[in-house]
């Protein structure tokens, strides 16, 4: 139980303060244990970070798989748009700490853990690419069009995620920009079908 509490506190601190600004004292303060107690579970802050990263990646890959499984009877455009809205809602409305952590660490990894963080993020990205390619292929598109669909949508999604991270926009502003961008994207891509 203590391990989960330590990881949860660390996750929340990493999201709010950043990895670099978070201290072990910050982590233990919210769960009411002594700093020395951490060392019976983790070697140092880096070990906590990497453990949190692994846990978050596992949850996020499960999210991807669960989402696409739940959309099997839905049209391609509705599935893709629903995914965009799901990420928007998780980030802005649900204040999903795991998603915020993953995205912030992907775009702004800790300097000392940059290689490990980016390598871990590639696992997530690979899972997303695979799920998207499977989705596009399931609509009996040519291999080339399915590949183009996966890449273009992933680029579209990346733009939304960057805006969520850096703009701190209101949901109204995001929805306006997302609605206009989606209409133009889908009109363009649907000509390839």
């Amino acid at each position: 139980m203590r391990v989960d509490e330590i990881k949860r506190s660390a996750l929340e601190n990493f999201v709010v303060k950043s990895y670099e600004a978070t201290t072990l004292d910050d982590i233990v303060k919210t769960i009411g244990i002594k700093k020395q107690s951490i060392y019976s579970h983790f070697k140092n802050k880096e070990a906590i970070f990497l453990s949190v990263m692994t846990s978050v990646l596992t949850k996020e890959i499960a999210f991807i798989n669960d989402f696409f499984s739940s959309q099997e009877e839905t049209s391609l455009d509705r599935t893709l748009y629903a995914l965009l809205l799901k990420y928007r809602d998780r980030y802005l409305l649900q204040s999903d700490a795991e998603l915020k952590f993953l995205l912030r660490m992907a775009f702004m990894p800790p300097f000392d853990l940059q290689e490990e963080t980016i390598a871990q993020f590639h696992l997530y990205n690979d899972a997303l690419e695979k799920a998207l390619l499977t989705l596009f292929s399931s609509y009996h598109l040519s291999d080339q069009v399915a590949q183009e669909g996966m890449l273009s949508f992933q680029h579209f999604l990346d733009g939304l995620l960057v805006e969520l991270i850096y703009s701190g926009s209101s949901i109204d502003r995001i929805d306006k920009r997302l609605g206009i961008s989606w209409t133009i994207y889908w009109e363009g891509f649907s000509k390839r079908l």
Side-chain angles (χ1 to χ4, degrees):
M1 185 67 162
R2 283 284 187 221
V3 171
D4 291 339
E5 290 175 319
I6 292 167
K7 287 169 59 174
R8 188 73 194 161
S9 177
L11 169 70
E12 292 167 1
N13 277 283
F14 294 152
V15 168
V16 172
K17 295 182 176 187
S18 81
Y19 169 79
E20 288 83 359
T22 298
T23 66
L24 292 178
D25 288 329
D26 295 327
I27 294 169
V28 298
K29 186 186 323 179
T30 58
I31 54 178
I33 63 173
K34 295 183 186 208
K35 187 163 78 171
Q36 294 79 2
S37 300
I38 285 181
Y39 296 114
S40 62
H41 304 288
F42 297 99
K43 180 180 177 183
N44 52 30
K45 185 171 80 167
E46 288 178 4
I48 297 170
F49 175 87
L50 294 172
S51 181
V52 168
M53 186 79 175
T54 299
S55 296
V56 167
L57 281 170
T58 301
K59 286 181 183 178
E60 288 303 311
I61 291 171
F63 161 76
I64 291 168
N65 294 330
D66 291 346
F67 174 83
F68 285 107
S69 293
S70 73
Q71 299 292 315
E72 289 177 352
E73 301 298 320
T74 308
S75 65
L76 179 60
D77 60 326
R78 286 179 178 255
T79 299
L80 295 173
Y81 195 67
L83 183 62
L84 295 170
L85 294 178
K86 190 73 171 168
Y87 276 109
R88 178 208 64 186
D89 291 351
R90 289 179 63 208
Y91 197 91
L92 291 177
L93 300 178
Q94 298 168 1
S95 196
D96 189 319
E98 282 88 1
L99 178 60
K100 287 182 177 186
F101 172 83
L102 178 68
L103 296 178
R104 290 179 183 173
M105 294 311 121
F107 290 103
M108 300 170 279
F111 183 75
D112 293 341
L113 298 170
Q114 196 166 16
E115 281 185 38
E116 295 98 325
T117 303
I118 291 171
Q120 290 287 318
F121 185 74
H122 284 307
L123 297 174
Y124 165 78
N125 210 40
D126 291 346
L128 180 58
E129 277 186 16
K130 181 180 175 186
L132 286 169
L133 190 56
T134 300
L135 174 70
F136 279 96
S137 296
S138 73
Y139 287 89
H140 308 292
L141 304 175
S142 71
D143 289 346
Q144 179 180 343
V145 173
Q147 184 76 15
E148 290 170 354
M150 179 271 294
L151 290 172
S152 64
F153 180 77
Q154 193 165 24
H155 188 71
F156 188 93
L157 176 60
D158 286 347
L160 172 66
L161 299 176
V162 167
E163 183 165 357
L164 289 171
I165 293 167
Y166 289 109
S167 73
S169 292
S170 71
I171 197 156
D172 293 334
R173 179 181 161 100
I174 291 284
D175 282 351
K176 181 179 179 184
R177 295 167 64 98
L178 180 58
I180 292 167
S181 299
W182 173 255
T183 299
I184 293 168
Y185 168 81
W186 186 252
E187 284 177 8
F189 182 73
S190 62
K191 291 177 183 176
R192 304 280 293 141
L193 302 177

